[in-house]
């Protein structure tokens, strides 16, 4: 393991030494590709097993969505979980109080949302320091990340944590690169640029592909991409997760400082200890999770508004709704009656491909 870490350190040092200009772009692109390959080896070592996941780290997924608390030790993650979900997570005034993943669950707008208090991350976690690797492996399974920061300590913490998560292939508040990439058996590298490129040229693309031993591929760049974007697409193991930055301990700063904090994007100032601003936090969490509530209506009865079926806003067809209820329902499906904003008439008869909106009411009619 130390040899991989030594190689990573050597490449990072060389990248820091190299001046960025047109002449060195190919060399830097090659170094970035080598670095990405070494990082992948560090996350999942060769030789199968890859070691135990760590006692008590992975927690069974429950509810409609999963939110992970990430942060340095002693920033108030455990206090936040205790006050949000009513779950006791050991709280103390010293660092590293939480040593395993502590799960909790809250019900918000009818959806059950699982909260995970992850142990504190230290600098160098991506290189295997502390138990960072297990912590970040659990963070990769979350639908949303709460990055808990101490507002007394500068936003340098935010930068360090983002760097650690980036090293593990987690991209926060970003969309996947709009690059088409397909390997081929023959025909060489076919590069197609839909817009002028400021960094990637045919030589640099071939250099990066050669590092991955890819000599035949179709690539279409649909926007002005960087070598990092291309490497992310080739690696194919990147995860894109929305993130909300929680600036905790606002009870210890002035109103003027609070005004400055509010201008930071994706950020909510809170006090976990005094339960300040939890309403804003939960509302923002709901927006970032992009959940849609669908109510069921049994024949001849009123709709059940107490327990909605919760879907993600990218998968809201009647078929997704049926599958969430039970796998067998889609096979027996005849048509559905829908009330709500997704239809023109109340009710309207729709097929299995109809796309539902938030708070629609659905009655399924099966084949006889």
């Amino acid at each position: 393991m130390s040899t991989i870490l030594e190689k990573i350190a050597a490449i990072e040092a060389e990248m820091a030494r190299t001046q960025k200009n047109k002449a060195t772009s190919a060399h830097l692109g090659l170094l970035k590709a080598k670095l990405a390959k070494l990082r992948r080896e560090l996350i999942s070592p060769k030789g199968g097993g890859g070691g135990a996941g760590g006692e008590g780290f992975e927690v069974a997924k429950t509810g409609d969505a999963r939110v992970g608390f990430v942060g340095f030790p002693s920033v108030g993650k455990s206090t936040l979980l205790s006050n949000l979900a009513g779950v006791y997570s050991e709280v103390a005034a010293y660092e590293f109080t939480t040593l395993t993943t502590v799960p909790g669950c809250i019900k918000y707008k009818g959806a059950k949302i699982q909260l995970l208090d992850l142990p504190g991350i230290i600098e160098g976690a991506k290189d295997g320091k502390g138990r960072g690797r297990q912590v970040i492996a659990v963070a990769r399974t979350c639908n949303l990340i709460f990055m808990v920061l101490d507002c007394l300590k500068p936003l340098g913490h935010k930068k360090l944590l983002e760097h650690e998560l980036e090293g593990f292939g987690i991209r926060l508040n970003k969309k996947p690169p709009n690059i088409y990439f397909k390997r081929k058996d023959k025909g060489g590298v076919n590069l197609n640029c839909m817009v002028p490129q400021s960094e990637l040229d045919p030589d640099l693309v071939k250099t990066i592909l050669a590092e991955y031993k890819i000599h035949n591929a179709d690539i279409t760049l649909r926007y002005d991409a960087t070598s990092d974007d291309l490497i992310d697409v080739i690696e194919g193991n990147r995860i894109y997760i929305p993130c909300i930055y929680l600036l905790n301990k606002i009870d210890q700063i002035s109103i003027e400082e609070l005004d400055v904090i509010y201008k930071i994007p994706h950020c909510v100032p809170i006090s976990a200890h005094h339960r300040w601003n939890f309403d804003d936090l939960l509302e923002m969490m709901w927006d970032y999770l992009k959940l849609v509530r669908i109510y069921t209506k049994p024949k001849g009865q009123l709709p059940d508004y107490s327990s909605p079926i919760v879907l993600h806003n990218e998968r809201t067809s009647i078929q997704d709704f049926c599958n969430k209820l039970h796998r067998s329902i889609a096979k027996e499906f005849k048509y559905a009656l829908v009330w709500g904003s997704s239809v023109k008439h109340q009710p309207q008869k729709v097929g299995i491909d109809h796309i539902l909106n938030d708070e629609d009411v659905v009655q399924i009619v099966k084949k006889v």
Side-chain angles (χ1 to χ4, degrees):
M1 191 64 75
S2 62
T3 52
I4 295 178
L5 291 177
E6 282 161 14
K7 283 178 190 170
I8 286 174
I11 290 173
E12 282 178 341
E14 193 176 338
M15 283 170 73
R17 281 197 307 270
T18 308
Q19 280 188 325
K20 283 185 183 173
N21 56 44
K22 198 69 185 158
T24 60
S25 64
H27 180 58
L28 280 169
L30 184 64
L31 290 176
K32 283 176 180 174
K34 282 183 173 168
L35 195 60
K37 280 172 69 183
L38 288 168
R39 287 229 186 285
R40 172 162 35 99
E41 226 167 287
L42 200 61
I43 298 169
S44 48
K46 284 177 185 171
E55 259 326 286
F57 266 80
E58 185 47 79
V59 174
K61 212 167 185 174
T62 60
D64 301 303
R66 180 181 248 201
V67 178
F69 296 8
V70 170
F72 281 113
S74 228
V75 289
K77 299 190 297 296
S78 301
T79 309
L80 181 64
L81 182 75
S82 301
N83 286 340
L84 266 179
V87 170
Y88 179 70
S89 179
E90 198 174 330
V91 178
Y94 54 84
E95 298 195 336
F96 297 108
T97 321
T98 305
L99 295 171
T100 60
T101 303
V102 180
C105 188
I106 56 168
K107 210 165 181 194
Y108 187 67
K109 294 190 177 182
K112 289 191 187 79
I113 294 159
Q114 186 181 36
L115 305 175
L116 298 181
D117 175 14
L118 302 172
I121 288 178
I122 57 170
E123 214 177 324
K126 66 183 186 314
D127 302 326
K129 281 190 188 168
R131 302 187 78 177
R133 193 184 305 155
Q134 293 105 313
V135 174
I136 297 175
V138 178
R140 280 174 71 98
T141 66
C142 296
N143 305 99
L144 173 66
I145 285 177
F146 280 175
M147 191 179 283
V148 188
L149 302 162
D150 188 335
C151 68
L152 293 172
K153 293 173 186 172
L155 287 177
H157 269 194
K158 170 176 177 278
K159 212 169 181 177
L160 286 169
L161 281 168
E162 283 174 343
H163 184 62
E164 296 299 326
L165 295 173
E166 289 258 325
F168 264 86
I170 295 176
R171 302 288 179 262
L172 300 176
N173 294 326
K174 286 183 183 170
K175 287 194 162 72
N178 195 358
I179 297 174
Y180 171 78
F181 168 74
K182 190 180 181 197
R183 293 185 188 219
K184 300 186 297 186
D185 295 331
K186 56 188 177 191
V189 175
N190 180 18
L191 178 64
N192 191 0
C193 301
M194 292 177 126
V195 294
Q197 298 293 317
S198 55
E199 186 182 330
L200 290 172
D201 57 32
D203 291 339
L204 177 51
V205 169
K206 281 179 182 169
T207 305
I208 292 171
L209 289 174
E211 176 58 32
Y212 285 94
K213 297 185 172 57
I214 299 170
H215 304 292
N216 304 293
D218 284 335
I219 295 172
T220 304
L221 305 175
R222 299 192 180 101
Y223 70 111
D224 187 6
T226 64
S227 49
D228 289 322
D229 295 338
L230 180 59
I231 290 165
D232 282 357
V233 171
I234 296 168
E235 282 282 337
N237 62 353
R238 304 300 189 234
I239 290 194
Y240 298 84
I241 305 178
C243 174
I244 298 175
Y245 303 101
L246 311 189
L247 288 164
N248 191 18
K249 307 184 185 176
I250 55 168
D251 48 318
Q252 300 174 21
I253 61 169
S254 66
I255 297 291
E256 290 76 22
E257 288 172 304
L258 192 58
D259 288 340
V260 173
I261 283 173
Y262 251 115
K263 289 174 184 156
I264 302 165
H266 312 293
C267 163
V268 183
I270 59 159
S271 169
H273 183 68
H274 295 287
R275 304 182 183 218
W276 292 354
N277 213 19
F278 276 15
D279 292 350
D280 265 16
L281 169 61
L282 292 171
E283 198 51 52
M284 201 166 177
M285 174 191 79
W286 183 261
D287 290 345
Y288 277 56
L289 283 171
K290 295 181 177 163
L291 299 177
V292 171
R293 294 155 294 174
I294 310 296
Y295 302 110
T296 54
K297 182 188 178 303
K299 194 176 178 183
Q301 294 174 32
L302 288 169
D304 178 10
Y305 290 114
S306 60
S307 50
I309 301 298
V310 179
L311 305 171
H312 191 271
N313 78 343
E314 287 172 6
R315 295 181 295 277
T316 60
S317 69
I318 292 281
Q319 181 150 16
D320 296 316
F321 172 76
C322 291
N323 288 341
K324 189 84 190 261
L325 282 169
H326 197 278
R327 291 272 172 208
S328 64
I329 292 176
K331 290 173 191 162
E332 300 164 10
F333 178 87
K334 187 177 182 188
Y335 62 88
L337 294 172
V338 177
W339 293 256
S341 59
S342 71
V343 290
K344 289 176 182 171
H345 318 291
Q346 311 292 334
Q348 187 170 319
K349 204 170 171 180
V350 299
I352 203 154
D353 296 326
H354 176 76
I355 301 297
L356 297 162
N357 288 351
D358 191 26
E359 299 202 273
D360 278 0
V361 174
V362 177
Q363 181 183 321
I364 301 288
V365 178
K366 295 182 182 179
K367 294 172 191 164
V368 180

